[in-house]
Amino acid sequence: MTVQDDFIREAVERAASVIEGFKIEVVGDRIIMTPQSSVQSWTIRRVQNAIDACGISEERILSDVLIQFPGEPPRCPDVAIVEEGAGGTYTYEDLMAAIEIVSSKYDRNDYAIKVQQYARFRVPIYLIIDPFRGQCSLLTEPGDDSYASCAEYKYGDTITFQLATGDTIEIPTHTFKLRS
């Protein structure tokens, strides 16, 4: 990262601490401020509850916690599952699954920029939950800038995937709300 990147990241962190109700992050050369909707908040909570019900300890379930990617902007996934024993400063190596809830109707961030970065750093599982389309995309088998496998689910389905530890995660979507 350059000095300018560090400056922008620090400015965003300061802004995020005083501007309530917005998710603020650096994506490429842009600063993205997105108001967090109630639908997004409810979905995050439901996903966390489902992961918890699968036996994953709460210390491994994070929400909007900074994950470092060397030489690239850090990410704060809406929900992250990290390895047992990870703590302090989290890095992409700790990340077993990243889950993002789409926050705007035409979101290039979750569907392109984060797909490329997560794949490039070999994040094993990336789940995109889209309350505008009522659809979820489960991406696995990361490669250079993309994932080799994509399973699509509609709201009402149960999303099932397995972590590298062998833990099976089941996320029911029948209570997820749509956004217009």
Side-chain angles (χ1 to χ4, degrees):
M1 291 186 113
T2 67
V3 171
Q4 182 179 357
D5 292 336
D6 287 339
F7 175 77
I8 290 171
R9 184 180 50 76
E10 289 172 14
V12 166
E13 287 172 3
R14 282 193 304 275
S17 69
V18 296
I19 302 172
E20 293 184 24
F22 282 85
K23 181 175 182 177
I24 305 171
E25 59 187 333
V26 177
V27 178
D29 60 351
R30 300 178 305 147
I31 296 173
I32 308 292
M33 287 181 61
T34 309
Q36 188 163 351
S37 71
S38 55
V39 169
Q40 187 172 15
S41 178
W42 296 327
T43 305
I44 289 169
R45 188 178 73 234
R46 287 180 176 122
V47 168
Q48 289 174 316
N49 290 344
I51 296 168
D52 182 63
C54 292
I56 303 298
S57 67
E58 69 178 14
E59 293 81 15
R60 295 180 57 204
I61 307 167
L62 307 175
S63 180
D64 289 326
V65 173
L66 197 70
I67 308 286
Q68 296 291 337
F69 290 83
E72 295 194 28
R75 294 281 166 232
C76 298
D78 291 322
V79 178
I81 303 173
V82 296
E83 290 193 9
E84 186 77 40
T89 301
Y90 295 96
T91 72
Y92 71 96
E93 294 169 317
D94 301 317
L95 198 52
M96 299 188 81
I99 302 165
E100 300 285 2
I101 292 83
V102 175
S103 54
S104 63
K105 198 173 235 177
Y106 304 103
D107 194 327
R108 189 176 165 291
N109 186 21
D110 292 331
Y111 281 109
I113 295 168
K114 289 181 183 178
V115 168
Q116 292 171 357
Q117 186 175 5
Y118 289 149
R120 197 168 32 255
F121 282 88
R122 304 293 192 263
V123 175
I125 296 163
Y126 177 36
L127 176 61
I128 304 168
I129 299 172
D130 191 331
F132 297 95
R133 298 183 334 181
Q135 186 171 328
C136 306
S137 302
L138 177 64
L139 304 164
T140 57
E141 301 175 38
D144 291 337
D145 278 335
S146 64
Y147 285 83
S149 178
C150 178
E152 298 290 336
Y153 297 85
K154 64 184 181 317
Y155 278 22
D157 295 340
T158 296
I159 301 164
T160 303
F161 57 88
Q162 193 167 47
L163 300 175
T165 56
D167 295 302
T168 298
I169 306 298
E170 292 184 347
I171 302 173
T173 64
H174 67 280
T175 61
F176 287 5
K177 306 258 187 251
L178 291 170
R179 269 186 85 184
S180 52

